[in-house]
Amino acid sequence: MDLAHALAAGLGAGGAALVGGYLLQRTRRTETGAVVAARSDWDLAEMLVTDGVLTEATPQARRLLDCRRDERLGWRDIRAALEPSFGPLPDAPPRSPVILQALDDPQTLLRLTPEDAELRMTITTPPTGSGDLLRYRTDQRELAQLRRVVTRAPMPIWQTDADRRVVWSNAGFADLCAQAGLPDHSVPPFAILPDIGEEYHVTRSSIGSRAENSQAWFEVQSYRLPDGWLHYAQSIDAVIHAEIAQRNFLQTLTRIFAHLPIALAVFDRDRRLVLFNPALVDLTGLAADFLSARPNLLSFFDMLREKRMMPEPKDYGGWRDTLRDVIAAASTDQYIETWNLASGLTYRVTGRPHPDGGVAFLFEDITAEISLTRRFRQEIEVTQAVLDSLDDAVAVFSQLGVLSFCNAAYRDMWGGDPDGSLADTDIADASRLWQAGCDPSPIWPDLRDFVLTLRDRAGWDAELTRQDGQTLTLRAEPLVGGSTMVRFSGPVGRPGASLAESRQARA
């Protein structure tokens, strides 16, 4: 913004110096020391207009009009060059003498003197000292530099008067008008209406590009001047496209989250709620208008506590400190807790870091999962208790031949605790243990094949003799899902098919 002010101030000061310099006349000192104005053709700004066309002009006059020696300007061009310094001129060359004062210097005069069909125009100025001349030359160099800077500025710059008409603009503004399809550069393509008391105004607006059939977006910054406004336009197409993409992405996420059974609450870096889905209303019982008001994180958890949708803290005074630890843990992706509510529901609450310093909390109702787990655990405990109550030693192997569980009689008979071991016990390990504790028998390879086979199977019995002389009956029975139960009983085993009969049934 400092560069913008410097450009505006520099242009104004340079322009004034240039116009004043055009009107300057050199001075010379007489022998008595008095300063008088030299009136040579080089110093005099005088021009002759014949039938409304410039026919003669001194070098100073041509510098003021910014025209070549052989160029013939019309009255309209002469008026446009002189009106910024002397104010409105007549629409046509006057037929009677007229004297006009410069707007910013009453001692500088423009004399319009009709002479038959001609009009002589003479500009007289007060004497000028050498200091003013040197200052003028310095300002000329600065003005040339500022002109180059403004001409090459990558943004449109223009100035409007009190009537909102363009009185000055750079090349970027001309390109902007061409893009908007406006041949008249005196009217800006944007409707900028600052308030009366404003010194600075920002406007976002767009123009249609006829060539590309698209919209070009600009942010216009306007600064008040004594006689109007100075405007700077900057392209913000990238910003607009990013905002549209972000809004579309957010809408897509909202539609996706709307169908999720997991409640979602996203807080920004200021810890205010910026996104939630309908499941949050369903699971927590919080009012939608409360959530839409973007509460902060502490208010959100306070409302959860009031609704009894979170475990009641033992010390609520220390709960705020605990909550800060929760937020810190969630910001580092290290927060996950299970909330057992007084209503019997069970929620899993997970905290995850969100981009740009935010944090997201997910609330999942795992009541059914917890109930199923508890019921399954209870069934396992009952099954284990039933097996432990049996006198027979029982071992169950999975379809892959891994020992799933065994009962107390098995542990007493064969020693050790396979369930408490970190390493899995498979049928090969177990059969080696059994084989080592019994007299030689040909059933062990068949037993291992029976446990690992994927074909239809039929249960079978075999008689074994332990090395201590005890007689055992081994019973191998297929179970649901490809599992196998191996049972060892006393001398009077459960009636069943022999190994040979089982082989014959499988064959």
Side-chain angles (χ1 to χ4, degrees):
M1 301 310 173
D2 293 337
L3 174 61
H5 286 117
L7 288 175
L11 284 173
L18 182 60
V19 174
Y22 286 148
L23 305 179
L24 291 177
Q25 297 182 1
R26 295 190 208 170
T27 62
R28 59 183 177 84
R29 189 174 298 275
T30 63
E31 295 180 355
T32 60
V35 178
V36 297
R39 294 301 179 185
S40 66
D41 289 342
W42 177 261
D43 296 310
L44 189 63
E46 189 172 22
M47 62 199 79
L48 189 64
V49 178
T50 304
D51 295 330
V53 178
L54 180 68
T55 54
E56 296 183 17
T58 63
Q60 286 292 330
R62 292 195 178 276
R63 289 188 63 187
L64 176 59
L65 298 176
D66 193 19
C67 66
R68 300 185 304 275
R69 184 181 184 84
D70 57 345
E71 189 173 358
R72 296 293 183 261
L73 300 181
W75 178 249
R76 178 180 298 179
D77 299 324
I78 298 174
R79 284 178 54 205
L82 298 180
E83 282 183 343
S85 298
F86 295 95
L89 270 68
D91 295 337
R95 298 183 179 276
S96 58
V98 178
I99 299 178
L100 300 175
Q101 294 180 337
L103 298 177
D104 55 354
D105 184 9
Q107 297 183 7
T108 297
L109 303 177
L110 170 61
R111 300 177 185 274
L112 306 177
T113 306
E115 297 177 356
D116 297 331
E118 298 177 338
L119 176 67
R120 185 172 300 277
M121 306 176 66
T122 305
I123 300 174
T124 58
T125 62
T128 304
S130 59
D132 290 334
L133 286 173
L134 293 176
R135 181 70 260 175
Y136 158 68
R137 292 169 183 170
T138 301
D139 290 341
Q140 272 191 313
R141 290 192 294 270
E142 182 179 357
L143 178 61
Q145 180 181 2
L146 291 175
R147 279 178 171 173
R148 289 193 296 270
V149 170
V150 174
T151 300
R152 292 168 173 79
M155 62 176 64
I157 307 174
W158 68 98
Q159 182 179 344
T160 55
D161 56 16
D163 297 328
R164 307 184 190 279
R165 296 188 63 83
V166 178
V167 296
W168 174 88
S169 62
N170 69 342
F173 179 78
D175 296 338
L176 180 65
C177 291
Q179 183 179 0
L182 297 177
D184 185 8
H185 293 181
S186 64
V187 179
F190 304 114
I192 302 174
L193 301 173
D195 294 335
I196 297 177
E198 282 187 302
E199 295 294 328
Y200 170 72
H201 184 78
V202 177
T203 303
R204 269 192 179 188
S205 186
S206 65
I207 59 174
S209 176
R210 296 182 179 179
E212 301 178 1
N213 193 23
S214 61
Q215 292 289 111
W217 284 88
F218 292 86
E219 181 180 83
V220 182
Q221 302 177 14
S222 305
Y223 298 86
R224 184 179 293 277
L225 300 177
D227 54 349
W229 288 83
L230 186 62
H231 311 275
Y232 302 85
Q234 183 175 6
S235 175
I236 56 171
D237 284 341
V239 176
I240 296 298
H241 293 160
E243 291 177 352
I244 293 175
Q246 182 182 17
R247 185 164 56 250
N248 292 339
F249 179 68
L250 185 61
Q251 292 175 352
T252 302
L253 287 181
T254 302
R255 287 193 294 267
I256 294 174
F257 293 154
H259 301 286
L260 286 180
I262 300 176
L264 175 67
V266 180
F267 297 84
D268 60 14
R269 66 190 328 177
D270 297 325
R271 301 297 182 257
R272 302 197 72 87
L273 184 65
V274 294
L275 177 65
F276 67 93
N277 63 344
L280 185 66
V281 179
D282 299 335
L283 293 185
T284 63
L286 299 179
D289 54 351
F290 168 76
L291 297 174
S292 301
R294 301 185 61 195
N296 59 39
L297 194 54
L298 295 179
S299 300
F300 175 79
F301 278 99
D302 283 343
M303 186 60 70
L304 285 180
R305 174 181 174 269
E306 183 177 336
K307 293 283 187 179
R308 300 174 62 85
M309 296 306 298
M310 63 178 298
E312 181 67 24
K314 296 180 181 179
D315 178 16
Y316 189 74
W319 161 244
R320 290 300 183 95
D321 297 332
T322 304
L323 184 57
R324 292 186 180 92
D325 297 337
V326 169
I327 298 173
S331 300
T332 57
D333 200 11
Q334 296 179 352
Y335 177 74
I336 180 169
E337 280 190 358
T338 300
W339 288 0
N340 296 309
L341 306 181
S343 60
L345 298 175
T346 303
Y347 287 175
R348 180 188 293 123
V349 183
T350 306
R352 291 287 183 266
H354 192 66
D356 199 21
V359 62
F361 285 93
L362 292 85
F363 300 83
E364 183 179 2
D365 186 358
I366 58 172
T367 305
E369 177 183 342
I370 294 297
S371 300
L372 181 61
T373 302
R374 290 171 180 171
R375 188 181 309 112
F376 182 67
R377 186 182 299 115
Q378 183 180 8
E379 291 178 355
I380 292 178
E381 291 174 354
V382 171
T383 302
Q384 187 68 47
V386 170
L387 291 176
D388 289 342
S389 67
L390 298 177
D391 294 334
D392 293 346
V394 178
V396 178
F397 295 87
S398 68
Q399 186 177 15
L400 298 178
V402 178
L403 180 64
S404 300
F405 53 85
C406 58
N407 64 349
Y410 178 89
R411 291 189 289 271
D412 293 340
M413 178 178 293
W414 300 109
D417 185 8
D419 294 339
S421 176
L422 296 178
D424 290 335
T425 301
D426 58 15
I427 184 60
D429 298 330
S431 62
R432 281 194 295 268
L433 175 64
W434 303 335
Q435 185 175 359
C438 298
D439 293 341
S441 174
I443 69 168
W444 306 115
D446 292 322
L447 178 60
R448 287 190 286 268
D449 292 342
F450 181 80
V451 171
L452 296 175
T453 187
L454 300 178
R455 294 176 299 176
D456 293 338
R457 301 171 298 170
W460 52 271
D461 294 338
E463 297 294 332
L464 299 174
T465 302
R466 298 191 63 178
Q467 292 182 352
D468 58 3
Q470 181 183 5
T471 301
L472 297 177
T473 299
L474 181 148
R475 173 69 179 172
E477 296 186 52
L479 301 178
V480 177
S483 299
T484 304
M485 181 180 69
V486 179
R487 186 175 64 183
F488 299 90
S489 57
V492 184
R494 177 182 175 182
S498 64
L499 175 60
E501 294 173 340
S502 177
R503 287 178 180 174
Q504 184 177 1
R506 284 184 288 169

